[in-house]
Amino acid sequence: MEKTVSFHLNGKLTEILIDPNLTLLWVLRNHFGLTGTKYGCGIGFCGSCTVLIDEEPVRSCTLALSEIEGKSVVTIEGLAKDGKLHPVQKAFVDHDALQCGFCTPGMIMNATGLLLKNPSPTTQEIKAGMEDNLCRCGAHMRIIDAVHTAAKEMKGGK
Amino acid sequence: MKIRKTKPEKLIPTTDGSGMKRRSFVRLLGGGLFVFFNSWTFPDLFGGTPEQGRSLPKDYNAFLRIAEDGTVTCYTGKIEMGQGIITSLAQMMADELNVQFEKVKMVLGDTDLCPWDQGTWGSLSTRSFGPNMRAAAAEARGVLFSLASDKLGVPVTQLEVKEGIITDTKNTSNSVSYAELTKGQKIEKYLDVKPAVEDFTKFTYVGKSYNHADAILKVTGEAKYTGDLKLPGMVFARILRPPSHGAKLKSVDYSAAEKITGIKVIRDGDLIAVLHEDRERADQAIVKIEAEYSFNEMPVNDKTIFEWMLKADSGSNEIRSGGNLETGIKLSEKIIESEFLDPYLAHTAIETHSALAHLDGDKMTVWASTQSPFGLQEAIAGELGFKLEKVRVITPFVGGGFGGKGAAQQGIEAARLAKLAGKPVMLIWTRDEEFFYDTFHPAGVIKIKSGMDKNGAIKLWDYAIYYGGTRGSETIYDVPNVKATHYRQNRNAPAVHPFGTGAWRAPNANSNTFAREVQIDIMAAEAGIDPLEFRLKNLKDEKMIACLKAVADKFGYVAGKIPGGRGIGIACGTDAGTWVAHMAEVKVDKSTGNVEVVRIVCAQDMGLCVNPEGATIQMEGCITMGLGYTFTEELLFEGGNIKNRSFDSYEIPHFSSLPKIETLILDRKDQAPQGGGEPAIIAVGAVIDNAIFDATGARLYRMPMTPERVLEALKKV
Ligand code: FES
Ligand code: FES
């Protein structure tokens, strides 16, 4: 039942011989050592496992590996380029938009996906787009500010 | 670019290269003035075996170590779970020792390296550990001065220190760095008279804002939490769980689970687990186990719990009394009796309880998401029959705690399994397990009978808590006739709480502040007095008064009687040595019962604020989290069966819950720093309740204030 699944992982073409029914979350964490993608619930309710698949934010805990064949997966580890933080990461640092930091990778990936689709979101649109990513520490207000800042930064960079 | 050379930089090489200095250093050593030890073993550091060391050590060396490059490593048994002590304790250490902030490194929550600690809760890190750490740093500074005095040949009084360099004030080229004095070793010299800690006014870093020191690690995914660790040969465990609290295993068949390739089933009494190097295989195997249970459920659920508590055979004790209740009744023109209800709450840190255990020879090492590494160490040692020094608990970053990670269960489970399996075992609880085994914020009932005279002066305060806990139950108002009673578990009677309860973010202070501040509001409304004025009139506590005035000012409050239709609420209280006052504005949709919080403003007096930015974040976090217990959070259960065990049935605050939050920290540089991770949550329930009343005239006595309950209350208006 093992099969070769090939996909782009953080920009690199990757092949893995594996049971394609395994979920992306645990394969990323356990087989690729990419532990920035977090387990928070395993059933799609918290968003801490969010990664980008072909630029769309997706919950990796409910996604079978077979579904990413030929696609491009970006995790939190693949966001910074050449040691330079991605604007969303930088904005999270500048706004101190985190406390325990456990929801942070999922928040950043979801926000990045949001900004790829909507480069200048309103506060309402940010709230709606981030709604189902949960943060227990209550960093929400700063996350919204960080997304605004990142939006400006990303447009400036283009 | 011009590089400005600071004096110390220039001076280090001079001292170092002078030849004489180094030699005299050696001579000093030989002369027996002080002795360095290379080893940093437990007895060496803590002056005894770990069994004897269950208190904060006296030896300042336990708190800090100065490396050869001048880096100061600061050791604390506290842990970092987002509250920011990795930053604020480093600020305090840098100032007290007088070294650069950037040179301070923190080692947290490692039982082999750090001084004993009772656990990270109760907002104690700054107010309780802080002074001890500062005292240690002050003594170290004193010792370093005396060493420098010998080395530089001038009296201590002629020395000054800046950024870790001690300089002769009469000859600034005569100086020596901390690093040169200690050479990275333990300093075996102590002061008979312990020096005073530095005056806060002399501080450079304390009082300034710093972003989370660990932010870069956390935004890049580099930060390691327990579940992110991996050891060679490590397997993931899933444990067979009972369907409800109190259920007993009768029979079990795990043959189907064993058929999965690579699965190993382990049984040790009631502990039955499956192990696999792939977490998901363990997930698949655990559901294949067939088990039968017998049930002996308590006949109570989330609806009947309050009646259950009131009827229970309780123990009771008087926690406060003053004056005479009869006198209070006589003096009162109006007497108001109310009953407030609060449900069980879950912690739901986004990181579930996790532990990685590894038995190497006869030493068990456990990495765990815990708020109490030393408590866990003790529990594991007890469970396994190990000596304390044969158990080491290491605490990586913790993904939120809120009082919910103080128990030792997952660490014990992982350690037992690692011992049985002979391999490192990683246990990451599922969200379902997290809800089931949470040590819930206790449900409770609070009854208040209060009275006031015709001028609105409170004369009577008869307060009774049933099972909710006493934290935050102070009357705070100036009332002559007071009694407070706590009805709690009677040791000889059956358990009243159907499952484990424990701390939460300012646990009982939320319940008690809710009850008191709503009652006060009811009285203000009855008296026909503006609720801010009513509070000020009945308060003597200067700090509370200052907070109320500050919050009203920031809010732009205009006095008015309630209910005034404006939807403005006020509430205040104290917790962890800190004073808070809140104002909120809400809009209530009378047809649906939906409440929209437009704005919350909070003023806080926390004494000297070590890191204003960090404290502000904590206040925002508290207010946001407080909206959860106010509006949505409530554990549903039937007997020992927890019914809501996922984020869709137990709803915590989302982005859309977010009002405009404004915070204000009173400037109290002259006072000792107090707790900041919890206080701002305590009055959120009350301030919203009072705002709903002002908006509609409807009064709620029960949290959470769901739309149904709001509609229910509206019917009574
Ligand atoms: S872990 Fe995937 S949504 Fe919670
Ligand atoms: S920062 Fe802790 S859960 Fe969001």
Side-chain angles (χ1 to χ4, degrees), chain B residues 282-342:
Chain B
D283 287 343
Q284 289 160 2
I286 197 76
V287 294
K288 293 240 154 58
I289 298 182
E290 285 181 32
E292 256 191 287
Y293 293 86
S294 65
F295 296 88
N296 183 14
E297 302 264 290
M298 281 191 198
V300 62
N301 60 37
D302 48 87
K303 292 184 190 59
T304 57
I305 184 72
F306 304 110
E307 212 187 307
W308 169 264
M309 288 174 164
L310 293 174
K311 282 204 304 226
D313 170 8
S314 306
S316 77
N317 58 316
E318 195 171 285
I319 49 175
R320 209 162 294 111
S321 74
N324 180 309
L325 291 189
E326 287 310 313
T327 315
I329 290 171
K330 274 193 212 112
L331 291 174
S332 295
E333 163 117 331
K334 232 174 225 159
I335 290 181
I336 294 156
E337 289 185 68
S338 315
E339 187 176 300
F340 300 93
L341 309 178
D342 222 358

Coordinates of all heavy atoms in Angstrom, one line a residue, chain B residues 282-342:
Chain B
A282 N -0.4 4.5 15.7 CA -0.9 4.4 17.0 C -2.4 4.9 17.1 O -3.2 4.2 17.8 CB 0.0 5.2 18.0
D283 N -2.7 6.0 16.4 CA -4.1 6.4 16.4 C -5.0 5.4 15.8 O -6.1 5.2 16.4 CB -4.2 7.7 15.5 CG -3.6 8.9 16.1 OD1 -3.3 8.9 17.3 OD2 -3.3 9.9 15.3
Q284 N -4.5 4.7 14.8 CA -5.4 3.7 14.2 C -5.5 2.5 15.1 O -6.6 1.8 15.2 CB -4.8 3.2 12.8 CG -4.9 4.3 11.7 CD -3.9 4.0 10.6 OE1 -3.1 3.1 10.6 NE2 -3.9 4.9 9.6
A285 N -4.5 2.1 15.8 CA -4.5 0.9 16.7 C -5.4 1.1 17.9 O -6.1 0.2 18.3 CB -3.1 0.6 17.1
I286 N -5.3 2.3 18.5 CA -6.0 2.5 19.7 C -7.5 2.3 19.6 O -8.2 1.8 20.5 CB -5.7 3.9 20.4 CG1 -6.0 3.9 21.9 CG2 -6.4 5.0 19.7 CD1 -5.1 3.2 22.7
V287 N -8.1 2.7 18.4 CA -9.5 2.5 18.3 C -9.9 1.1 18.0 O -11.1 0.7 18.0 CB -10.1 3.5 17.2 CG1 -9.9 4.9 17.6 CG2 -9.4 3.2 15.8
K288 N -8.9 0.2 17.7 CA -9.2 -1.2 17.5 C -9.3 -2.0 18.8 O -9.7 -3.1 18.8 CB -8.1 -1.8 16.6 CG -8.1 -1.2 15.2 CD -8.3 -2.4 14.2 CE -8.9 -1.9 12.9 NZ -8.1 -0.9 12.2
I289 N -9.0 -1.4 19.9 CA -9.0 -2.1 21.2 C -10.5 -2.1 21.6 O -11.2 -1.0 21.6 CB -8.2 -1.4 22.2 CG1 -6.7 -1.4 21.8 CG2 -8.4 -2.0 23.6 CD1 -5.7 -0.9 22.8
E290 N -10.9 -3.3 22.0 CA -12.3 -3.3 22.5 C -12.3 -3.5 24.0 O -11.6 -4.4 24.6 CB -13.0 -4.5 21.9 CG -13.4 -4.2 20.4 CD -14.2 -5.3 19.8 OE1 -14.9 -6.0 20.4 OE2 -14.0 -5.4 18.5
A291 N -13.0 -2.6 24.7 CA -12.9 -2.7 26.2 C -14.3 -2.5 26.7 O -15.2 -1.9 26.1 CB -12.0 -1.5 26.7
E292 N -14.5 -3.2 27.8 CA -15.8 -3.1 28.5 C -15.6 -2.4 29.9 O -14.6 -2.7 30.6 CB -16.4 -4.5 28.8 CG -17.5 -4.9 27.8 CD -18.1 -6.1 28.3 OE1 -17.5 -7.2 28.2 OE2 -19.2 -6.1 28.9
Y293 N -16.5 -1.6 30.3 CA -16.4 -0.9 31.5 C -17.6 -1.0 32.4 O -18.7 -1.3 31.9 CB -16.2 0.6 31.2 CG -14.9 1.0 30.5 CD1 -14.8 0.9 29.2 CD2 -13.8 1.3 31.3 CE1 -13.6 1.2 28.5 CE2 -12.6 1.6 30.6 CZ -12.5 1.6 29.3 OH -11.4 1.9 28.6
S294 N -17.4 -0.9 33.7 CA -18.6 -0.8 34.6 C -18.7 0.7 35.0 O -17.6 1.4 35.1 CB -18.4 -1.6 35.8 OG -17.3 -1.2 36.5
F295 N -19.9 1.1 35.2 CA -20.1 2.6 35.5 C -20.7 2.8 36.9 O -21.5 2.0 37.3 CB -21.0 3.2 34.4 CG -20.4 3.1 33.1 CD1 -20.5 2.0 32.2 CD2 -19.6 4.2 32.6 CE1 -20.0 2.0 31.0 CE2 -19.1 4.2 31.4 CZ -19.2 3.1 30.5
N296 N -20.2 3.8 37.5 CA -20.8 4.2 38.8 C -20.8 5.7 38.8 O -20.1 6.4 39.4 CB -19.9 3.6 39.9 CG -20.5 3.9 41.2 OD1 -21.7 4.3 41.3 ND2 -19.7 3.8 42.3
E297 N -21.8 6.2 38.0 CA -21.8 7.6 37.7 C -22.5 8.4 38.8 O -23.4 8.0 39.4 CB -22.6 7.9 36.4 CG -22.0 7.1 35.2 CD -21.1 8.0 34.4 OE1 -21.7 8.9 33.8 OE2 -19.9 7.8 34.4
M298 N -22.0 9.6 39.0 CA -22.6 10.5 39.9 C -23.9 11.1 39.2 O -23.8 11.4 38.1 CB -21.7 11.7 40.2 CG -20.7 11.4 41.2 SD -20.0 13.0 41.6 CE -18.4 12.5 42.3
P299 N -25.0 11.1 39.9 CA -26.2 11.5 39.3 C -26.3 13.1 39.2 O -27.1 13.7 39.8 CB -27.3 11.0 40.2 CG -26.6 10.9 41.6 CD -25.2 10.7 41.3
V300 N -25.4 13.6 38.4 CA -25.4 15.1 38.4 C -24.9 15.5 37.0 O -24.1 14.7 36.3 CB -24.4 15.7 39.4 CG1 -23.0 15.2 39.3 CG2 -24.5 17.2 39.5
N301 N -25.4 16.6 36.5 CA -25.0 17.1 35.2 C -24.8 18.6 35.2 O -24.9 19.2 36.3 CB -25.9 16.6 34.1 CG -27.3 17.2 34.3 OD1 -27.5 18.3 34.8 ND2 -28.4 16.4 34.0
D302 N -24.5 19.2 34.1 CA -24.2 20.6 34.1 C -25.4 21.5 34.4 O -25.3 22.6 34.8 CB -23.6 21.0 32.7 CG -24.5 20.5 31.5 OD1 -25.5 21.2 31.2 OD2 -24.2 19.4 31.0
K303 N -26.6 20.9 34.3 CA -27.8 21.7 34.7 C -28.1 21.5 36.2 O -28.5 22.5 36.9 CB -29.0 21.2 33.9 CG -28.8 21.6 32.5 CD -30.0 21.3 31.6 CE -29.6 21.5 30.2 NZ -28.5 20.7 29.7
T304 N -27.8 20.4 36.8 CA -28.2 20.1 38.2 C -27.1 20.4 39.2 O -27.2 20.3 40.4 CB -28.7 18.7 38.4 OG1 -27.6 17.8 38.0 CG2 -29.9 18.4 37.6
I305 N -25.9 20.7 38.6 CA -24.7 20.8 39.5 C -24.9 21.8 40.6 O -24.4 21.6 41.7 CB -23.4 21.1 38.6 CG1 -22.2 21.1 39.5 CG2 -23.5 22.4 37.9 CD1 -21.7 19.8 40.0
F306 N -25.5 22.9 40.3 CA -25.6 24.0 41.4 C -26.5 23.6 42.5 O -26.1 23.8 43.7 CB -26.1 25.3 40.7 CG -25.2 25.7 39.5 CD1 -25.7 25.7 38.2 CD2 -23.9 26.1 39.7 CE1 -24.9 26.0 37.2 CE2 -23.1 26.5 38.7 CZ -23.6 26.4 37.4
E307 N -27.6 23.0 42.2 CA -28.5 22.4 43.2 C -27.7 21.4 44.1 O -27.8 21.3 45.3 CB -29.6 21.8 42.5 CG -30.9 21.9 43.2 CD -32.0 21.1 42.5 OE1 -32.1 21.3 41.2 OE2 -32.5 20.1 43.1
W308 N -27.0 20.5 43.3 CA -26.2 19.4 43.9 C -25.2 20.0 44.9 O -25.1 19.5 46.0 CB -25.5 18.8 42.7 CG -24.4 17.8 42.9 CD1 -23.1 18.1 42.9 CD2 -24.5 16.4 43.1 NE1 -22.3 16.9 43.1 CE2 -23.2 15.9 43.2 CE3 -25.6 15.5 43.3 CZ2 -22.9 14.5 43.4 CZ3 -25.3 14.2 43.5 CH2 -24.0 13.7 43.5
M309 N -24.6 21.1 44.6 CA -23.6 21.7 45.5 C -24.3 22.3 46.7 O -23.8 22.2 47.8 CB -22.9 22.9 44.8 CG -21.9 22.4 43.7 SD -21.2 23.7 42.8 CE -19.8 22.8 42.1
L310 N -25.4 23.0 46.5 CA -26.1 23.6 47.6 C -26.7 22.6 48.6 O -26.8 22.8 49.8 CB -27.3 24.5 47.1 CG -26.8 25.8 46.3 CD1 -28.0 26.5 45.7 CD2 -26.0 26.7 47.2
K311 N -27.0 21.4 48.1 CA -27.6 20.4 48.9 C -26.5 19.5 49.5 O -26.8 18.7 50.4 CB -28.5 19.5 48.1 CG -29.9 20.2 47.9 CD -31.0 19.2 47.6 CE -30.7 18.2 46.4 NZ -31.8 18.1 45.5
A312 N -25.3 19.6 49.0 CA -24.3 18.6 49.5 C -23.9 18.8 51.0 O -24.2 19.8 51.6 CB -23.0 18.9 48.7
D313 N -23.4 17.7 51.5 CA -23.0 17.7 52.9 C -21.6 18.3 52.9 O -20.6 17.7 52.6 CB -22.9 16.2 53.4 CG -22.2 16.1 54.7 OD1 -21.9 17.1 55.3 OD2 -21.9 14.9 55.1
S314 N -21.6 19.6 53.1 CA -20.3 20.4 52.9 C -19.6 20.7 54.2 O -20.2 20.7 55.3 CB -20.6 21.8 52.3 OG -21.4 21.6 51.1
G315 N -18.3 20.9 54.1 CA -17.5 21.4 55.2 C -17.6 22.9 55.0 O -17.9 23.4 53.9
S316 N -17.4 23.7 56.1 CA -17.5 25.1 55.9 C -16.5 25.8 56.8 O -16.1 25.3 57.9 CB -18.9 25.7 56.1 OG -19.1 25.8 57.5
N317 N -16.0 26.9 56.4 CA -15.2 27.8 57.3 C -15.4 29.2 57.0 O -15.7 29.6 55.8 CB -13.7 27.4 57.3 CG -13.1 27.5 55.9 OD1 -13.7 27.1 54.9 ND2 -11.9 28.1 55.8
E318 N -15.3 30.0 58.0 CA -15.5 31.4 57.9 C -14.2 32.0 57.4 O -13.2 31.8 58.0 CB -15.9 32.0 59.3 CG -16.5 33.4 59.2 CD -17.1 33.8 60.5 OE1 -18.1 33.4 60.9 OE2 -16.4 34.6 61.2
I319 N -14.2 32.7 56.3 CA -12.9 33.2 55.8 C -12.7 34.7 56.1 O -11.7 35.2 56.0 CB -12.8 33.0 54.3 CG1 -14.0 33.4 53.5 CG2 -12.5 31.5 54.0 CD1 -13.9 33.4 52.0
R320 N -13.8 35.3 56.6 CA -13.7 36.7 56.9 C -14.8 37.2 57.8 O -16.0 36.7 57.6 CB -13.7 37.6 55.6 CG -12.9 38.8 55.7 CD -12.6 39.4 54.2 NE -11.8 38.5 53.5 CZ -12.1 37.7 52.5 NH1 -13.3 37.8 52.0 NH2 -11.3 36.9 51.9
S321 N -14.6 38.0 58.7 CA -15.7 38.6 59.4 C -15.3 39.9 60.1 O -14.2 40.1 60.4 CB -16.2 37.6 60.5 OG -15.4 37.6 61.6
G322 N -16.3 40.7 60.2 CA -16.0 42.0 60.9 C -17.4 42.6 61.3 O -18.4 42.4 60.6
G323 N -17.4 43.4 62.4 CA -18.7 43.9 62.8 C -19.7 42.9 63.2 O -19.3 41.8 63.7
N324 N -20.9 43.2 62.9 CA -22.0 42.3 63.3 C -23.1 42.3 62.2 O -23.6 43.4 61.9 CB -22.5 42.7 64.7 CG -23.6 41.9 65.2 OD1 -24.6 41.6 64.5 ND2 -23.5 41.4 66.4
L325 N -23.5 41.1 61.7 CA -24.4 41.1 60.7 C -25.8 41.6 61.1 O -26.5 42.3 60.3 CB -24.6 39.7 60.1 CG -23.4 39.1 59.4 CD1 -23.8 37.8 58.7 CD2 -22.8 40.0 58.3
E326 N -26.2 41.4 62.3 CA -27.5 41.9 62.8 C -27.5 43.4 62.8 O -28.5 44.0 62.3 CB -27.7 41.4 64.3 CG -28.1 39.9 64.4 CD -29.2 39.5 63.4 OE1 -30.2 40.2 63.4 OE2 -29.1 38.5 62.7
T327 N -26.4 44.0 63.2 CA -26.3 45.5 63.2 C -26.4 45.9 61.7 O -27.1 46.9 61.4 CB -24.9 45.9 63.7 OG1 -24.7 45.2 64.9 CG2 -24.8 47.4 64.0
G328 N -25.7 45.2 60.8 CA -25.7 45.5 59.4 C -27.1 45.5 58.9 O -27.5 46.4 58.1
I329 N -27.9 44.5 59.3 CA -29.3 44.4 58.8 C -30.1 45.6 59.3 O -30.8 46.3 58.6 CB -29.9 43.1 59.3 CG1 -29.2 41.9 58.5 CG2 -31.4 43.1 59.0 CD1 -29.6 40.5 58.9
K330 N -29.9 45.9 60.6 CA -30.6 47.1 61.2 C -30.3 48.4 60.5 O -31.2 49.2 60.3 CB -30.3 47.2 62.7 CG -31.2 46.3 63.5 CD -31.1 46.6 65.0 CE -31.3 45.3 65.8 NZ -30.1 44.9 66.5
L331 N -29.0 48.5 60.2 CA -28.6 49.8 59.6 C -29.0 49.9 58.1 O -28.9 51.0 57.5 CB -27.1 50.0 59.7 CG -26.5 50.2 61.1 CD1 -25.0 50.1 61.0 CD2 -27.0 51.5 61.7
S332 N -29.5 48.8 57.6 CA -29.7 48.8 56.1 C -31.2 49.2 55.8 O -32.1 48.7 56.4 CB -29.5 47.5 55.5 OG -28.1 47.2 55.6
E333 N -31.3 50.1 54.9 CA -32.6 50.6 54.4 C -33.1 49.6 53.4 O -34.3 49.2 53.3 CB -32.4 51.9 53.8 CG -33.6 52.4 52.9 CD -34.2 53.6 53.5 OE1 -34.2 53.8 54.7 OE2 -34.7 54.4 52.7
K334 N -32.1 49.1 52.6 CA -32.5 48.1 51.5 C -31.6 46.9 51.6 O -30.3 47.1 51.8 CB -32.3 48.8 50.2 CG -33.5 48.8 49.3 CD -33.3 49.6 48.0 CE -34.6 50.4 47.7 NZ -34.3 51.5 46.9
I335 N -32.1 45.8 51.5 CA -31.3 44.6 51.5 C -31.5 43.8 50.2 O -32.7 43.6 49.8 CB -31.7 43.7 52.7 CG1 -31.1 44.4 54.0 CG2 -31.0 42.3 52.6 CD1 -31.4 43.7 55.3
I336 N -30.5 43.4 49.6 CA -30.6 42.7 48.3 C -29.9 41.3 48.4 O -28.8 41.2 48.9 CB -29.9 43.5 47.2 CG1 -30.7 44.8 47.0 CG2 -29.8 42.8 45.9 CD1 -29.9 45.9 46.4
E337 N -30.6 40.3 48.0 CA -30.0 39.0 48.0 C -29.9 38.4 46.6 O -30.9 38.5 45.8 CB -30.9 38.0 48.9 CG -30.8 38.3 50.3 CD -31.6 37.4 51.2 OE1 -31.2 36.2 51.2 OE2 -32.6 37.8 51.8
S338 N -28.8 37.9 46.3 CA -28.6 37.4 44.9 C -27.8 36.1 45.0 O -27.1 35.8 45.9 CB -27.8 38.4 44.1 OG -28.2 39.7 44.2
E339 N -28.0 35.3 43.9 CA -27.3 34.1 43.8 C -26.6 34.0 42.4 O -27.3 34.2 41.4 CB -28.3 32.9 43.9 CG -27.7 31.6 44.0 CD -28.7 30.5 44.2 OE1 -29.4 30.5 45.3 OE2 -28.9 29.6 43.3
F340 N -25.3 33.8 42.4 CA -24.6 33.8 41.1 C -24.0 32.4 40.8 O -23.6 31.7 41.7 CB -23.4 34.8 41.2 CG -23.9 36.2 41.5 CD1 -23.9 36.7 42.8 CD2 -24.2 37.0 40.5 CE1 -24.4 37.9 43.1 CE2 -24.6 38.3 40.7 CZ -24.7 38.8 42.0
L341 N -24.1 32.1 39.5 CA -23.7 30.7 39.1 C -22.5 30.8 38.1 O -22.5 31.6 37.1 CB -24.8 30.0 38.5 CG -26.1 29.9 39.3 CD1 -27.2 29.2 38.5 CD2 -25.9 29.3 40.7
D342 N -21.6 29.9 38.2 CA -20.4 29.8 37.4 C -20.2 28.4 37.0 O -20.2 27.5 37.9 CB -19.2 30.4 38.2 CG -18.4 31.2 37.3 OD1 -18.7 31.4 36.2 OD2 -17.4 31.8 37.9

